[in-house]
Amino acid sequence: DAGVIQSPRHEVTEMGQEVTLRCKPISGHDYLFWYRQTMMRGLELLIYFNNNVPIDDSGMPEDRFSAKMPNASFSTLKIQPSEPRDSAVYFCASSGPVGLYNSPLHFGNGTRLTVT
Amino acid sequence: QKEVEQNSGPLSVPEGAIASLNCTYSDRGSQSFFWYRQYSGKSPELIMFIYSNGDKEDGRFTAQLNKASQYVSLLIRDSQPSDSATYLCAVDNFNKFYFGSGTKLNVKP
């Protein structure tokens, strides 16, 4: 099991540039989540998908943020244009089918984004 | 009010002692509860999950759940320096996982 794979691991960009973060969930997992982690706000849920369909994007901070999941094995989180306050670690996580109880989240290694 | 509350710590315990980490949550409808460990600069990793009231043990770790009091705890027995990390409590709410801000644990040799 390769786990959740995120790329890139680190991204440094200038304010105003477009940033694209990528995620490959664990095979067979039908839920995919994007989180952002900062010292001040902790882990914040941005958006989650079920069977490639966005279910709840209420955590997306602004229209500058968008996420897609074109197929079961790939998702992207895009920030356009980026701002210094977007600097954070972005985690992708996936989980298996939901029965009576939720399956645990499995996290990728994260992308550390720095916007200068 | 935040959905999940944790004491940020740091909680310092000597090696070999029991570390007790606590978490409260606001949504009575929550059914699934998780504890994650996060080392500095790393991603959260699952330690335990618990769905039913009572205790659940796994090695040196015991999770405790009291739904009436909306309270979840994690006990770490025989604490080791390698247990020093931030421990995150997570609670589900209709498939949305909410995380507490984490408790930093320091285990002193």
Side-chain angles (χ1 to χ4, degrees):
Chain A
D1 186 350
V4 177
I5 299 173
Q6 290 186 248
S7 65
R9 289 297 306 275
H10 302 274
E11 178 79 39
V12 180
T13 190
E14 293 184 346
M15 183 174 62
Q17 297 298 305
E18 177 179 297
V19 175
T20 299
L21 311 181
R22 296 172 176 80
C23 175
K24 175 180 169 58
I26 292 173
S27 178
H29 281 188
D30 53 3
Y31 281 85
L32 184 140
F33 301 78
W34 283 100
Y35 282 87
R36 177 172 68 176
Q37 188 174 40
T38 61
M39 289 293 293
M40 291 297 296
R41 302 173 70 89
L43 266 171
E44 299 175 278
L45 175 63
L46 301 177
I47 185 172
Y48 80 94
F49 295 82
N50 177 219
N51 291 324
N52 314 336
V53 177
I55 302 300
D56 189 325
D57 65 355
S58 60
M60 297 285 261
E62 300 170 36
D63 291 344
R64 298 184 296 107
F65 286 70
S66 62
K68 294 182 180 179
M69 191 165 185
N71 57 62
S73 59
F74 184 65
S75 177
T76 59
L77 178 67
K78 184 176 294 186
I79 308 173
Q80 166 64 21
S82 58
E83 296 183 4
R85 59 194 167 121
D86 301 332
S87 298
V89 179
Y90 290 80
F91 287 106
C92 176
S94 69
S95 69
V98 173
L100 180 59
Y101 302 108
N102 282 323
S103 300
L105 293 180
H106 298 265
F107 284 83
N109 288 328
T111 295
R112 182 173 295 277
L113 173 64
T114 302
V115 183
T116 61
Chain B
Q1 181 186 4
K2 293 187 67 175
E3 288 82 3
V4 183
E5 299 273 5
Q6 292 183 258
N7 187 322
S8 62
L11 172 67
S12 292
V13 300
E15 183 175 355
I18 295 175
S20 178
L21 306 164
N22 305 313
C23 170
T24 58
Y25 60 95
S26 60
D27 186 352
R28 286 192 172 275
S30 297
Q31 295 290 331
S32 309
F33 307 87
F34 308 88
W35 282 99
Y36 286 81
R37 176 176 62 198
Q38 187 174 26
Y39 292 111
S40 180
K42 302 294 186 181
S43 60
E45 56 178 327
L46 179 70
I47 298 176
M48 291 194 69
F49 56 89
I50 185 167
Y51 302 140
S52 304
N53 276 328
D55 296 359
K56 179 181 178 181
E57 186 175 317
D58 184 1
R60 297 187 296 113
F61 299 95
T62 298
Q64 299 174 318
L65 174 61
N66 184 325
K67 290 186 178 181
S69 300
Q70 296 174 242
Y71 178 91
V72 191
S73 65
L74 179 70
L75 300 178
I76 306 175
R77 290 181 299 281
D78 188 24
S79 295
Q80 301 297 308
S82 59
D83 294 327
S84 297
T86 296
Y87 289 80
L88 301 166
C89 173
V91 176
D92 95 286
N93 182 354
F94 295 103
N95 299 327
K96 294 171 68 170
F97 291 76
Y98 291 98
F99 284 79
S101 55
T103 299
K104 186 175 177 62
L105 173 66
N106 291 327
V107 181
K108 298 181 178 181

